[in-house]
């Protein structure tokens, strides 16, 4: 079975007509729609100064928003854990995000939004803030392109960095605290790898920058249970694996298991299922590229998505309304 060239197929999808000002993407800041390069964050916003924010990312493919309600539920839980309040209701949030997609004319889109602590309202040290909402949309992003997925990534288990412990920053709340993950990617590149995977410092796998990690051994699909984001794509893969009759395990996964497994892959909204072929430079199996079960999961994921599975169709025929449009002069 050949891996579906998802990037090439998405690139062939017809877009809807859009203002050229929004060709690179759209943003929503200070209650207005803007071309993405004109989206601004006030310099005193605590989201900028202290990485004090919660965010989420959903995607659209073939004109369908994928698992929007699950993303909203996770985002709302993240805000609650960080004592943040979205100034918009769920319905208004979905309207804003949908409008951003429509303004850009995108049928396949990467859709990001956040609530930050905002600006302090009282004296220094005050706990009074005006929480602020930001969002943007760009053409759909792949962490790994078709060629990289076809060949499979070389994953590097970080030796220099450990995942921020959950009693410091809750990893189930999607947040801006990425420095441990970012530095591990530089480490991976320095060791000849494509992407990194972090542990808890005690030998247990946690997650990869922006991704959950999966491994397959003897037909069993395993992914870490703790110290990681509860990814929506992770949830989706567990469903697909069950549909394929595969046993799934969500629990403790040791780094040594990743090094000796039959197949491995990463999952993320930005890129879906991304196969690995090597760990720490060593081939996972005698075959080149993605394993058979990884390929099945990857292809089934995209086939179902393009059919509208777990999707909400975007109505491109209705005009964008509800907020003032900040259009470039």
């Amino acid at each position: 079975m050949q891996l579906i060239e998802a990037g090439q197929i998405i690139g062939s999808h017809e877009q809807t007509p859009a203002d050229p000002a929004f060709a690179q993407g759209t943003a929503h800041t200070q209650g207005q729609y803007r071309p993405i390069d004109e989206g601004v964050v006030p310099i005193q916003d605590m989201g900028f100064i202290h990485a004090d924010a919660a965010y989420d990312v959903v995607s659209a493919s073939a004109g369908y928003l994928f698992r929007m309600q699950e993303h909203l539920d996770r985002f709302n839980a993240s805000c609650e854990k960080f004592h943040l309040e979205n100034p918009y209701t769920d319905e208004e949030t979905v309207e804003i995000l949908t409008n951003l997609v429509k303004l850009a004319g995108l049928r396949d889109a990467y859709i990001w939004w956040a609530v930050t602590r905002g600006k302090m309202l009282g004296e220094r040290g005050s706990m009074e803030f005006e929480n602020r909402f930001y969002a943007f949309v760009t053409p759909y992003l792949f962490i790994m392109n078709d060629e990289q997925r076809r060949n499979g990534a070389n994953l590097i288990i970080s030796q220099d960095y450990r995942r921020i412990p959950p009693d410091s920053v809750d990893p189930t709340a999607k947040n801006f605290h990425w420095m441990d993950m970012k530095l591990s990617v530089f480490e991976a590149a320095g060791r000849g790898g494509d992407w990194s995977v972090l542990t808890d410092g005690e030998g247990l796998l946690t997650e990869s920058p922006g991704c959950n990690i999966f491994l397959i051994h003897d037909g069993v699909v395993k992914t870490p249970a703790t110290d990681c984001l509860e990814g929506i794509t992770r949830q989706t893969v567990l469903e697909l694996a069950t549909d394929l009759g595969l046993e799934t395990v969500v629990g403790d996964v040791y780094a040594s298991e990743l090094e000796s497994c039959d197949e491995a892959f990463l999952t993320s909204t930005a890129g879906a299922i991304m196969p690995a072929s090597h760990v720490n430079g060593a081939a996972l199996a005698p075959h080149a590229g993605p394993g058979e079960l990884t390929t099945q999961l990857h292809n089934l994921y995209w086939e179902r998505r393009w059919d509208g599975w777990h999707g909400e169709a975007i109505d491109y025929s209705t005009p964008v309304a509800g907020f003032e449009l900040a259009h470039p002069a």
Side-chain angles (χ1 to χ4, degrees):
M1 178 182 293
Q2 296 295 313
L3 203 74
I4 287 176
E5 303 281 335
Q8 182 177 348
I9 293 172
I10 284 175
S12 71
H13 287 168
E14 183 179 352
Q15 304 302 319
T16 60
D19 189 318
F22 301 111
Q24 300 305 311
T26 51
H28 185 277
T29 64
Q30 288 79 49
Q32 294 183 321
Y33 296 106
R34 310 170 188 268
I36 193 165
D37 289 339
E38 297 181 14
V40 294
V41 177
I43 200 165
Q44 289 183 294
D45 192 309
M46 291 295 172
F48 169 72
I49 297 173
H50 291 155
D52 189 352
Y55 80 103
D56 217 294
V57 178
V58 69
S59 64
S61 193
Y64 294 96
L65 291 172
F66 186 62
R67 307 194 86 141
M68 186 71 243
Q69 188 59 53
E70 287 97 326
H71 282 279
L72 277 174
D73 291 344
R74 183 176 67 181
F75 177 72
N76 291 337
S78 298
C79 286
E80 183 175 357
K81 291 170 184 176
F82 291 154
H83 306 284
L84 295 164
E85 184 174 350
N86 188 352
Y88 297 111
T89 66
D90 283 358
E91 291 76 15
E92 290 169 333
T93 297
V94 173
E95 180 183 16
I96 291 168
L97 300 179
T98 303
N99 284 344
L100 288 171
V101 175
K102 290 160 64 173
L103 281 169
L106 296 172
R107 294 181 59 79
D108 302 270
Y110 176 93
I111 306 161
W112 182 102
W113 78 101
V115 168
T116 68
R117 190 71 57 197
K119 183 180 178 180
M120 187 181 298
L121 297 178
E123 298 292 329
R124 186 170 180 82
S126 167
M127 294 302 291
E128 294 183 62
F129 299 89
E130 180 187 7
N131 296 168
R132 291 174 172 169
F133 176 96
Y134 303 94
F136 71 82
V137 163
T138 67
Y140 184 80
L141 295 174
F142 281 95
I143 292 175
M144 297 179 188
N145 61 31
D146 283 345
E147 181 180 2
Q148 290 170 315
R149 290 197 308 279
R150 186 169 59 248
N151 294 332
N154 178 17
L155 301 180
I156 300 296
I157 301 172
S158 178
Q159 298 174 349
D160 297 340
Y161 305 98
R162 60 165 293 185
R163 188 71 178 98
I164 295 173
D167 53 0
S168 294
V169 179
D170 186 346
T172 67
K174 200 166 175 69
N175 61 76
F176 286 2
H177 299 88
W178 269 61
M179 195 52 68
D180 54 341
M181 297 191 287
K182 287 287 188 181
L183 290 173
S184 73
V185 175
F186 281 98
E187 176 195 354
R191 291 168 55 189
D194 298 306
W195 211 248
S196 58
V197 184
L198 291 102
T199 72
D200 65 351
E202 302 296 329
L204 287 174
L205 295 178
T206 59
E207 58 188 342
S208 186
C211 310
N212 290 111
I213 178 71
F214 280 81
L215 61 85
I216 303 174
H217 186 66
D218 290 337
V220 178
V221 180
K222 298 185 69 173
T223 193
T226 58
D227 294 6
C228 63
L229 183 71
E230 295 172 347
I232 307 300
T233 311
R234 170 181 178 260
Q235 172 189 341
T236 302
V237 165
L238 292 170
E239 293 177 11
L240 293 173
T242 299
D243 289 348
L244 290 175
L246 302 173
E247 180 183 351
T248 61
V249 175
V250 180
D252 289 346
V253 182
Y254 288 90
S256 57
E257 294 180 74
L258 180 60
E259 294 175 299
S260 61
C261 67
D262 302 322
E263 304 180 34
F265 57 90
L266 304 174
T267 61
S268 174
T269 293
I273 297 171
M274 296 164 282
S277 58
H278 293 73
V279 174
N280 293 337
L284 291 177
H287 58 75
E292 179 181 350
L293 295 178
T294 300
T295 299
Q296 289 184 45
L297 289 166
H298 174 278
N299 291 356
L300 184 58
Y301 172 89
W302 284 112
E303 289 165 354
R304 288 191 176 181
R305 282 211 56 179
W306 293 327
D307 284 340
W309 182 59
H310 286 308
E312 296 178 25
I314 298 169
D315 182 1
Y316 293 89
S317 66
T318 57
V320 172
F323 290 90
E324 180 183 354
L325 177 64
H327 195 285

